[in-house]
Amino acid sequence: TLTVTAAPLTVTANSQSKAYNTTMTTGAGLTAFTSSGLVNGETIGSVTLASTGAPASSPVGTYAIVPSLATGGTFNPANYSITYSNGVLTVTPGVYTLTWTNPVSIVYGTPLGTNQNNATESVAGTNVYSPPNGTILPVGTTNLHVVFTPGDTNYLPTNATVTLTVTAAPLTVTANNQ
């Protein structure tokens, strides 16, 4: 009598990352896994993967990717003692756009305002400008800076710089009649 026992097989979900506000594909039929212990050149066709971090709304952080139900390929699950090992899903900060173009020149004496300090972003947040609105700049070229802090902590702050030219103001000097 010969007894053949099941061979040990480990199926590990591959670690992955995704940006906040995007969705990771989960479910049956996925091939984001590795295996060790298959014999005779056998293969696994797919594995079901699940993660609580998969939805777009999952906050920045790390989550388990849980593999299960190895199927398909050429292997027979009855010939193996299968152990599943979790992978890690890393949710990275979300991506957004900040748009700010060089403003048109202003004349000396014109205070900075929303025509110059007018950066826009694709997510809500707060802009802090340097120099701030109301500042009167000297003649020449000046860099304007903005630091944008998103209202949602799943996005990182960023900054931007544009260039503003201040031209000389017209000045008329008239001699008094004597």
Side-chain angles (χ1 to χ4, degrees), residues 12-58:
T12 303
N14 292 347
S15 293
Q16 301 179 48
S17 66
K18 72 172 192 90
Y20 170 74
N21 210 20
T22 63
T23 303
M24 177 187 144
T25 302
T26 59
L30 296 176
T31 58
F33 67 90
T34 56
S35 63
S36 64
L38 288 169
V39 295
N40 299 323
E42 294 178 326
T43 61
I44 298 172
S46 66
V47 171
T48 298
L49 300 177
S51 178
T52 58
S57 61
S58 297

Short mmCIF file of all heavy atoms in Angstrom, two decimals, residues 12-58:
data_model
loop_
_atom_site.label_atom_id
_atom_site.label_comp_id
_atom_site.label_asym_id
_atom_site.label_seq_id
_atom_site.Cartn_x
_atom_site.Cartn_y
_atom_site.Cartn_z
N THR A 12 0.39 33.34 -2.74
CA THR A 12 0.59 34.66 -2.12
C THR A 12 0.07 35.75 -3.06
O THR A 12 0.43 35.80 -4.23
CB THR A 12 2.08 34.91 -1.84
OG1 THR A 12 2.57 33.85 -1.02
CG2 THR A 12 2.31 36.24 -1.15
N ALA A 13 -0.78 36.61 -2.51
CA ALA A 13 -1.25 37.77 -3.28
C ALA A 13 -0.08 38.73 -3.46
O ALA A 13 0.66 39.00 -2.51
CB ALA A 13 -2.39 38.46 -2.56
N ASN A 14 0.10 39.23 -4.68
CA ASN A 14 1.15 40.22 -4.92
C ASN A 14 0.77 41.54 -4.28
O ASN A 14 -0.39 41.97 -4.35
CB ASN A 14 1.36 40.44 -6.42
CG ASN A 14 1.93 39.24 -7.12
OD1 ASN A 14 2.41 38.30 -6.49
ND2 ASN A 14 1.89 39.25 -8.44
N SER A 15 1.73 42.20 -3.64
CA SER A 15 1.48 43.53 -3.10
C SER A 15 1.29 44.50 -4.25
O SER A 15 1.90 44.37 -5.32
CB SER A 15 2.63 43.96 -2.20
OG SER A 15 2.66 43.13 -1.05
N GLN A 16 0.41 45.49 -4.04
CA GLN A 16 0.08 46.46 -5.08
C GLN A 16 -0.12 47.83 -4.43
O GLN A 16 -0.22 47.94 -3.21
CB GLN A 16 -1.20 46.06 -5.80
CG GLN A 16 -1.15 44.70 -6.47
CD GLN A 16 -2.46 44.36 -7.14
OE1 GLN A 16 -3.03 45.17 -7.87
NE2 GLN A 16 -2.96 43.16 -6.88
N SER A 17 -0.22 48.85 -5.26
CA SER A 17 -0.55 50.18 -4.77
C SER A 17 -1.54 50.82 -5.72
O SER A 17 -1.64 50.44 -6.89
CB SER A 17 0.70 51.04 -4.60
OG SER A 17 1.28 51.29 -5.86
N LYS A 18 -2.27 51.78 -5.18
CA LYS A 18 -3.20 52.57 -5.98
C LYS A 18 -3.30 53.93 -5.33
O LYS A 18 -3.05 54.09 -4.14
CB LYS A 18 -4.58 51.91 -6.06
CG LYS A 18 -5.37 51.98 -4.75
CD LYS A 18 -6.79 51.49 -4.93
CE LYS A 18 -7.66 51.82 -3.74
NZ LYS A 18 -8.33 53.09 -3.81
N ALA A 19 -3.66 54.93 -6.12
CA ALA A 19 -3.85 56.27 -5.58
C ALA A 19 -5.24 56.39 -4.97
O ALA A 19 -6.18 55.74 -5.43
CB ALA A 19 -3.68 57.31 -6.69
N TYR A 20 -5.34 57.21 -3.93
CA TYR A 20 -6.64 57.52 -3.33
C TYR A 20 -7.58 58.01 -4.44
O TYR A 20 -7.16 58.68 -5.38
CB TYR A 20 -6.48 58.60 -2.26
CG TYR A 20 -7.79 59.14 -1.76
CD1 TYR A 20 -8.59 58.40 -0.90
CD2 TYR A 20 -8.24 60.40 -2.15
CE1 TYR A 20 -9.81 58.88 -0.45
CE2 TYR A 20 -9.45 60.89 -1.71
CZ TYR A 20 -10.23 60.13 -0.86
OH TYR A 20 -11.44 60.62 -0.43
N ASN A 21 -8.83 57.68 -4.34
CA ASN A 21 -9.88 58.08 -5.28
C ASN A 21 -9.81 57.30 -6.60
O ASN A 21 -10.33 57.73 -7.61
CB ASN A 21 -9.88 59.59 -5.52
CG ASN A 21 -11.28 60.10 -5.84
OD1 ASN A 21 -12.27 59.45 -5.54
ND2 ASN A 21 -11.36 61.25 -6.46
N THR A 22 -9.12 56.15 -6.59
CA THR A 22 -9.15 55.21 -7.71
C THR A 22 -9.54 53.85 -7.14
O THR A 22 -9.43 53.62 -5.94
CB THR A 22 -7.79 55.10 -8.43
OG1 THR A 22 -6.82 54.59 -7.51
CG2 THR A 22 -7.33 56.44 -8.99
N THR A 23 -9.98 52.97 -8.00
CA THR A 23 -10.47 51.67 -7.56
C THR A 23 -9.50 50.58 -7.98
O THR A 23 -8.99 50.58 -9.10
CB THR A 23 -11.86 51.38 -8.18
OG1 THR A 23 -12.74 52.43 -7.80
CG2 THR A 23 -12.42 50.06 -7.71
N MET A 24 -9.25 49.63 -7.08
CA MET A 24 -8.45 48.45 -7.40
C MET A 24 -9.41 47.34 -7.81
O MET A 24 -10.43 47.12 -7.15
CB MET A 24 -7.66 47.99 -6.18
CG MET A 24 -6.86 46.73 -6.43
SD MET A 24 -6.11 46.14 -4.88
CE MET A 24 -6.24 44.38 -5.13
N THR A 25 -9.10 46.64 -8.88
CA THR A 25 -9.93 45.53 -9.33
C THR A 25 -9.71 44.33 -8.42
O THR A 25 -8.57 43.92 -8.18
CB THR A 25 -9.58 45.15 -10.78
OG1 THR A 25 -9.75 46.31 -11.59
CG2 THR A 25 -10.45 44.03 -11.29
N THR A 26 -10.79 43.80 -7.89
CA THR A 26 -10.72 42.60 -7.05
C THR A 26 -11.72 41.59 -7.57
O THR A 26 -12.49 41.87 -8.48
CB THR A 26 -11.03 42.92 -5.58
OG1 THR A 26 -12.34 43.48 -5.50
CG2 THR A 26 -10.03 43.86 -4.98
N GLY A 27 -11.72 40.42 -6.98
CA GLY A 27 -12.68 39.39 -7.36
C GLY A 27 -12.00 38.17 -7.91
O GLY A 27 -10.79 37.98 -7.79
N ALA A 28 -12.79 37.33 -8.57
CA ALA A 28 -12.29 36.07 -9.11
C ALA A 28 -11.56 36.29 -10.43
O ALA A 28 -11.79 37.28 -11.12
CB ALA A 28 -13.45 35.09 -9.32
N GLY A 29 -10.71 35.36 -10.78
CA GLY A 29 -10.06 35.38 -12.08
C GLY A 29 -8.84 36.26 -12.17
O GLY A 29 -8.33 36.52 -13.25
N LEU A 30 -8.34 36.74 -11.05
CA LEU A 30 -7.19 37.64 -11.09
C LEU A 30 -5.88 36.86 -11.09
O LEU A 30 -5.79 35.76 -10.55
CB LEU A 30 -7.25 38.61 -9.92
CG LEU A 30 -8.46 39.55 -9.96
CD1 LEU A 30 -8.51 40.40 -8.71
CD2 LEU A 30 -8.41 40.43 -11.19
N THR A 31 -4.86 37.47 -11.68
CA THR A 31 -3.57 36.80 -11.80
C THR A 31 -2.46 37.54 -11.06
O THR A 31 -1.29 37.33 -11.35
CB THR A 31 -3.19 36.65 -13.29
OG1 THR A 31 -3.17 37.95 -13.88
CG2 THR A 31 -4.18 35.76 -14.02
N ALA A 32 -2.82 38.40 -10.11
CA ALA A 32 -1.82 39.15 -9.34
C ALA A 32 -1.42 38.34 -8.11
O ALA A 32 -1.71 38.71 -6.98
CB ALA A 32 -2.36 40.52 -8.96
N PHE A 33 -0.80 37.19 -8.34
CA PHE A 33 -0.38 36.32 -7.26
C PHE A 33 0.85 35.53 -7.69
O PHE A 33 1.17 35.45 -8.87
CB PHE A 33 -1.51 35.35 -6.86
CG PHE A 33 -1.84 34.34 -7.94
CD1 PHE A 33 -1.19 33.11 -7.98
CD2 PHE A 33 -2.78 34.64 -8.91
CE1 PHE A 33 -1.48 32.19 -8.98
CE2 PHE A 33 -3.07 33.72 -9.92
CZ PHE A 33 -2.42 32.49 -9.95
N THR A 34 1.51 34.96 -6.70
CA THR A 34 2.61 34.03 -6.98
C THR A 34 2.32 32.75 -6.21
O THR A 34 1.54 32.74 -5.26
CB THR A 34 3.97 34.60 -6.53
OG1 THR A 34 3.90 34.92 -5.15
CG2 THR A 34 4.35 35.83 -7.34
N SER A 35 2.93 31.68 -6.66
CA SER A 35 2.73 30.40 -5.98
C SER A 35 4.07 29.71 -5.81
O SER A 35 5.00 29.93 -6.60
CB SER A 35 1.77 29.51 -6.77
OG SER A 35 2.32 29.20 -8.04
N SER A 36 4.14 28.89 -4.79
CA SER A 36 5.33 28.06 -4.61
C SER A 36 4.87 26.69 -4.12
O SER A 36 3.99 26.59 -3.28
CB SER A 36 6.31 28.69 -3.62
OG SER A 36 5.74 28.78 -2.34
N GLY A 37 5.42 25.66 -4.73
CA GLY A 37 5.09 24.30 -4.34
C GLY A 37 4.40 23.49 -5.41
O GLY A 37 4.16 22.29 -5.23
N LEU A 38 4.06 24.08 -6.54
CA LEU A 38 3.44 23.30 -7.62
C LEU A 38 4.46 22.28 -8.15
O LEU A 38 5.66 22.57 -8.22
CB LEU A 38 3.00 24.22 -8.76
CG LEU A 38 1.77 25.10 -8.49
CD1 LEU A 38 1.61 26.14 -9.58
CD2 LEU A 38 0.51 24.26 -8.36
N VAL A 39 4.00 21.12 -8.50
CA VAL A 39 4.89 20.07 -9.01
C VAL A 39 4.48 19.69 -10.44
O VAL A 39 3.39 20.02 -10.89
CB VAL A 39 4.88 18.83 -8.10
CG1 VAL A 39 5.45 19.17 -6.73
CG2 VAL A 39 3.50 18.25 -7.97
N ASN A 40 5.37 19.02 -11.11
CA ASN A 40 5.12 18.49 -12.45
C ASN A 40 4.74 19.57 -13.46
O ASN A 40 3.98 19.31 -14.39
CB ASN A 40 4.04 17.40 -12.43
CG ASN A 40 4.44 16.22 -11.57
OD1 ASN A 40 5.62 15.83 -11.57
ND2 ASN A 40 3.50 15.67 -10.85
N GLY A 41 5.23 20.80 -13.27
CA GLY A 41 4.95 21.87 -14.23
C GLY A 41 3.52 22.36 -14.20
O GLY A 41 3.08 23.04 -15.14
N GLU A 42 2.77 22.01 -13.16
CA GLU A 42 1.38 22.44 -13.10
C GLU A 42 1.27 23.95 -12.88
O GLU A 42 2.22 24.60 -12.40
CB GLU A 42 0.65 21.69 -11.97
CG GLU A 42 0.54 20.21 -12.26
CD GLU A 42 -0.12 19.43 -11.14
OE1 GLU A 42 0.05 19.80 -9.95
OE2 GLU A 42 -0.82 18.46 -11.46
N THR A 43 0.12 24.50 -13.23
CA THR A 43 -0.12 25.94 -13.12
C THR A 43 -1.47 26.20 -12.45
O THR A 43 -2.35 25.36 -12.47
CB THR A 43 -0.13 26.61 -14.51
OG1 THR A 43 -1.19 26.05 -15.28
CG2 THR A 43 1.20 26.44 -15.23
N ILE A 44 -1.57 27.40 -11.88
CA ILE A 44 -2.84 27.89 -11.35
C ILE A 44 -3.35 28.94 -12.33
O ILE A 44 -2.61 29.82 -12.76
CB ILE A 44 -2.66 28.53 -9.96
CG1 ILE A 44 -2.14 27.50 -8.96
CG2 ILE A 44 -3.97 29.15 -9.45
CD1 ILE A 44 -1.74 28.09 -7.62
N GLY A 45 -4.62 28.85 -12.68
CA GLY A 45 -5.19 29.80 -13.64
C GLY A 45 -5.54 31.14 -13.04
O GLY A 45 -5.22 32.19 -13.58
N SER A 46 -6.19 31.13 -11.87
CA SER A 46 -6.59 32.40 -11.26
C SER A 46 -6.85 32.20 -9.78
O SER A 46 -6.99 31.09 -9.29
CB SER A 46 -7.84 32.96 -11.94
OG SER A 46 -8.95 32.11 -11.71
N VAL A 47 -6.89 33.34 -9.08
CA VAL A 47 -7.13 33.37 -7.65
C VAL A 47 -8.11 34.51 -7.37
O VAL A 47 -8.05 35.56 -8.02
CB VAL A 47 -5.80 33.61 -6.88
CG1 VAL A 47 -6.04 33.86 -5.41
CG2 VAL A 47 -4.86 32.43 -7.07
N THR A 48 -9.00 34.32 -6.42
CA THR A 48 -9.89 35.40 -6.00
C THR A 48 -9.13 36.29 -5.02
O THR A 48 -8.53 35.79 -4.07
CB THR A 48 -11.16 34.84 -5.34
OG1 THR A 48 -11.86 34.05 -6.30
CG2 THR A 48 -12.07 35.95 -4.85
N LEU A 49 -9.15 37.59 -5.27
CA LEU A 49 -8.48 38.56 -4.40
C LEU A 49 -9.51 39.53 -3.85
O LEU A 49 -10.42 39.96 -4.56
CB LEU A 49 -7.41 39.34 -5.17
CG LEU A 49 -6.28 38.54 -5.79
CD1 LEU A 49 -5.35 39.45 -6.58
CD2 LEU A 49 -5.50 37.78 -4.73
N ALA A 50 -9.35 39.87 -2.58
CA ALA A 50 -10.25 40.83 -1.94
C ALA A 50 -9.43 41.75 -1.04
O ALA A 50 -8.43 41.34 -0.46
CB ALA A 50 -11.30 40.10 -1.12
N SER A 51 -9.87 43.02 -0.94
CA SER A 51 -9.22 43.97 -0.05
C SER A 51 -10.21 45.05 0.35
O SER A 51 -10.93 45.58 -0.50
CB SER A 51 -8.00 44.61 -0.73
OG SER A 51 -7.41 45.57 0.14
N THR A 52 -10.20 45.39 1.63
CA THR A 52 -11.06 46.49 2.08
C THR A 52 -10.55 47.83 1.57
O THR A 52 -11.28 48.82 1.61
CB THR A 52 -11.14 46.53 3.63
OG1 THR A 52 -9.82 46.67 4.16
CG2 THR A 52 -11.80 45.27 4.18
N GLY A 53 -9.33 47.88 1.07
CA GLY A 53 -8.78 49.11 0.52
C GLY A 53 -9.07 49.30 -0.96
O GLY A 53 -8.67 50.29 -1.55
N ALA A 54 -9.79 48.37 -1.57
CA ALA A 54 -10.05 48.43 -3.01
C ALA A 54 -10.94 49.60 -3.45
O ALA A 54 -10.70 50.17 -4.51
CB ALA A 54 -10.65 47.11 -3.49
N PRO A 55 -11.98 49.99 -2.71
CA PRO A 55 -12.85 51.07 -3.18
C PRO A 55 -12.11 52.41 -3.30
O PRO A 55 -11.14 52.67 -2.58
CB PRO A 55 -13.94 51.16 -2.10
CG PRO A 55 -13.91 49.85 -1.41
CD PRO A 55 -12.47 49.39 -1.47
N ALA A 56 -12.60 53.26 -4.18
CA ALA A 56 -12.00 54.57 -4.39
C ALA A 56 -11.99 55.41 -3.11
O ALA A 56 -11.10 56.21 -2.89
CB ALA A 56 -12.74 55.32 -5.50
N SER A 57 -12.97 55.19 -2.25
CA SER A 57 -13.10 55.99 -1.03
C SER A 57 -12.18 55.55 0.10
O SER A 57 -12.14 56.19 1.15
CB SER A 57 -14.55 55.94 -0.54
OG SER A 57 -14.90 54.59 -0.25
N SER A 58 -11.40 54.49 -0.09
CA SER A 58 -10.52 54.02 0.97
C SER A 58 -9.42 55.04 1.24
O SER A 58 -8.73 55.46 0.32
CB SER A 58 -9.88 52.68 0.59
OG SER A 58 -10.88 51.70 0.44
#
